[in-house]
Structure formats: structure tokens, C-alpha cells
Amino acid sequence: MSGDGLLILALAALALYTGIHWERARRTVTDLRLGRRRVATLRQAAARERGHVVVIVAVMTLAFFLALKYG
């Protein structure tokens, strides 16, 4: 194989490596954006769940208090 053939193979390998690296970087940035949205959604869900827990604990405490007072 001539020197030109090796150079062409090396350039093809470099292009393949660069393309793979570029695609991984692009996918990481896209996933990061989606991850931030997902984290915001999870934070909202966690806040909603905390609100539900507060309501449940308040009702349970009220029921327990009423049961002790009138039971």
C-alpha cells in the first residue's frame, strides 16, 4: 500500500473518530437539556407529593385529636 493510501485510511479513521466524538458530544448536550427539564418536572412532582403528605398528616392529626377528645 502506498503512502497516499495510508494517508487516506488515516484521514478516514480520523474522520470516523471525530464524527463519533462529535455525535456523543451533541447527544450529551441534548440529554443535558432534557435532563434539566426532567429535573424541573421531578421537582414539581416532589413538591406536589410533599403537599399531599402535609395534607394527609394534618388530617390524620386532626382525626387523632378528635378521637382522643370525643372518644
Side-chain angles (χ1 to χ4, degrees):
M1 184 176 273
S2 68
D4 290 340
L6 283 175
L7 185 59
I8 290 172
L9 283 177
L11 284 174
L14 180 63
L16 180 66
Y17 174 77
T18 304
I20 290 170
H21 180 70
W22 187 267
E23 179 61 23
R24 283 184 184 159
R26 186 196 61 78
R27 197 174 311 139
T28 300
V29 168
T30 303
D31 289 346
L32 185 62
R33 277 191 226 124
L34 291 174
R36 285 183 186 145
R37 269 188 243 142
R38 205 172 310 136
V39 166
T41 303
L42 288 174
R43 283 186 182 144
Q44 290 171 352
R48 192 169 44 247
E49 290 296 320
R50 279 193 299 271
H52 291 185
V53 168
V54 167
V55 169
I56 290 169
V57 169
V59 170
M60 181 194 67
T61 305
L62 179 64
F64 187 69
F65 175 75
L66 291 174
L68 286 178
K69 185 174 181 179
Y70 297 109

